[in-house]
Amino acid sequence: MRTALVLFTRDLRVHDHPALVAACRNAARVVPLFVLDDEVLGGRYAAPNRVAALLEALEDLRTSLRARGGDLVIRWGDPIEEVRSLVTETDASEVHLSADVSGYAHRRQAALEQLGEDLSVEVTAHPGVVLVEPGEVSPTAGDHFRVFAPYWRRWIDHPHRDPLPAPERVPTPSSVHSGTIPARRELVDGDEAPDRLRTGETAARDRLDWWFDGAIGEYDRAHHDLASDATSKLSHHLHFGCLSVAEVVSRIDRRRPGHDAFLRQLCWREFNHQLLAANPDLPRQDLRSQGDDWRQDDDTLVAWREGRTGYPVVDAGMRQLRQEGWMHNRARMLTASFLTKHLRVDWRVGAWHFMDHLVDGDLANNFAQWQWVAGTGTDSRPNRMFNPVTQGRRYDPSGAYVRRYVPELANVDDVIVHAPWEAADQLFGEVDYPPPTVDHAEARERFLAARGR
Ligand SMILES: Cc1cc2nc3c(=O)[nH]c(=O)nc-3n(C[C@H](O)[C@H](O)[C@H](O)COP(=O)(O)OP(=O)(O)OC[C@H]3O[C@@H](n4cnc5c(N)ncnc54)[C@H](O)[C@@H]3O)c2cc1C
């Protein structure tokens, strides 16, 4: 009787799972495996919010597999060694997994292929993490795109894979010990965000339905508006693969309001993934160095982390991050720009602070976007600098976003809520909120001079 093993990584779903479908098609016995990887869990990547979300997604996946007559087998340690031992134990003749883009994922896949050769087992990497695999579209000169606009044009014309249904049955042999999914504290110390977003395939599919049942219609008009909560909040589901991007894209109808703008954002995700695939050092090294001499100033860094810079929109974003483990895209841009361009702190420091908190914290999206904002990445205007006051007034005109996360300013009126120091006389003694850490005009001059402008 043929046995196939499926190694789940960050593709924690049963719908549109090409690796799982192939295993169920080829074999009479299927062993779905997730390895709590010592290397991943031992590093800074394993932040409490993301580990909690991972465990939730695993519980949900196990429930779905059990409903199909199978189970999720949990092991701890080195994925290659765990695959070796389960292949031997179950006499599996094939191993399936989803291809992924990071340097670590590439090394893991290569090690599995080597193991396959050693054990005479077929190892197959399937699509599933992105829609268009890195390298499937490439520019005339070069192996990957460095600019978004031409990538978008090619990506949109490239044939998109149709999503696959979930297998009806996953016949896991009962002789395999399934193992327990541990409690979060067994894996990592520290607190989770009080209002952390939940994940798992069931929650993700509900959210997807809600989104396409109508909420998406407002996306084009309102997705930049900080207070209106008009974005999909699918990023953490996509990060853990509780939803496949192919399935999300299959629901798009570009003639309908909001759909095209939303598709474009999904394409940014794809763009960043092909960027990381081609540049495994993206989380560590400038893509396009600007010769920056980053500053080390612990006090201003702490003020930024804690949301006490004196710029209300920046502080609101930083506090949203701690409160929810998520931040609005516009606020991510403003807070990252403030750190790298006003405070001149190294983008890696900020990116890792985001990774410490974001439920959707993602090697491709987080580090590519930090580099974009810092001007060391793919932005064609690397020296653009956001003014936190004018940006606040434009994207939070009523001040509702600031008031939600910075309660000290709850009673300050709309005119001054983005620049409370302008009314210091009026507010004196009434509001416990710090003055600006840096003056915008001076910071701008310093930054442009440092960049030789
Ligand atoms: C400094 C910085 C750091 C970021 N870090 C991350 C991260 O770690 N993980 C992450 O998923 N996104 C990251 N983003 C991108 C973006 O902010 C989030 O994807 C988005 O805010 C998630 O909310 P949403 O699902 O409601 O997005 P929506 O606006 O509903 O967009 C739909 C989906 O498109 C993708 N997407 C949207 N905007 C972007 C973008 N600019 N780049 C890449 N993909 C995008 C996401 O998968 C998102 O779920 C970062 C952006 C910046 C500026």
Side-chain angles (χ1 to χ4, degrees), residues 19 68 116 134-135 153 193 220 249 285 322 329 410:
R68 288 167 172 77
R153 288 193 290 273
D220 207 5
V249 170
Q285 269 177 21
R322 282 177 180 260
N329 181 55

Side-chain angles (χ1 to χ4, degrees), residues 211 219 223 231-236 238-239 262 265-269 272 326-330 332-333 336 354-355 358 360-363 365-367 369-370 373:
W211 181 245
Y219 188 74
H223 75 279
T231 67
S232 69
K233 291 202 174 158
L234 290 175
S235 50
H236 57 307
L238 285 165
H239 171 72
F262 181 64
Q265 293 313 112
L266 291 169
C267 182
W268 268 103
R269 178 181 184 271
N272 289 339
W326 185 88
M327 201 199 294
H328 190 284
N329 181 55
R330 174 63 44 181
R332 296 189 202 205
M333 287 165 73
F354 270 32
M355 291 301 283
L358 283 174
D360 65 24
D362 185 279
L363 276 189
N365 276 348
N366 190 50
F367 290 90
Q369 290 302 122
W370 266 90
V373 174

Side-chain angles (χ1 to χ4, degrees), residues 153-308:
R153 288 193 290 273
R154 289 287 303 283
W155 182 86
I156 201 72
D157 282 343
H158 191 73
H160 288 166
R161 185 175 72 71
D162 287 330
L164 300 167
E168 279 176 20
R169 291 212 20 93
V170 182
T172 307
S174 55
S175 56
V176 179
H177 174 62
S178 55
T180 40
I181 297 173
R184 202 268 295 163
R185 292 228 176 243
E186 288 178 56
L187 299 177
V188 60
D189 291 332
D191 292 329
E192 292 162 41
D195 301 328
R196 175 178 65 76
L197 297 175
R198 307 282 134 176
T199 193
E201 187 176 14
T202 308
R205 296 184 75 74
D206 286 349
R207 182 79 187 173
L208 185 69
D209 286 343
W210 168 84
W211 181 245
F212 278 100
D213 283 349
I216 188 175
E218 290 298 300
Y219 188 74
D220 207 5
R221 189 187 61 75
H223 75 279
H224 286 303
D225 188 277
L226 284 159
S228 68
D229 231 0
T231 67
S232 69
K233 291 202 174 158
L234 290 175
S235 50
H236 57 307
H237 299 314
L238 285 165
H239 171 72
F240 287 105
C242 299
L243 276 180
S244 86
V245 65
E247 175 142 21
V248 182
V249 170
S250 74
R251 305 275 293 262
I252 298 272
D253 175 352
R254 295 182 72 193
R255 293 160 305 181
R256 302 187 63 194
H259 285 232
D260 209 43
F262 181 64
L263 184 62
R264 206 178 157 85
Q265 293 313 112
L266 291 169
C267 182
W268 268 103
R269 178 181 184 271
E270 299 267 304
F271 174 72
N272 289 339
H273 280 66
Q274 58 100 47
L275 209 59
L276 176 60
N279 301 278
D281 274 338
L282 172 84
R284 289 171 288 279
Q285 269 177 21
D286 290 348
L287 281 176
R288 284 189 302 174
S289 172
Q290 305 288 345
D292 290 296
D293 189 11
W294 302 112
R295 287 176 62 223
Q296 267 208 309
D297 177 347
D298 291 346
D299 289 346
T300 51
L301 180 59
V302 169
W304 177 81
R305 281 186 178 140
E306 294 181 352
R308 288 188 292 101

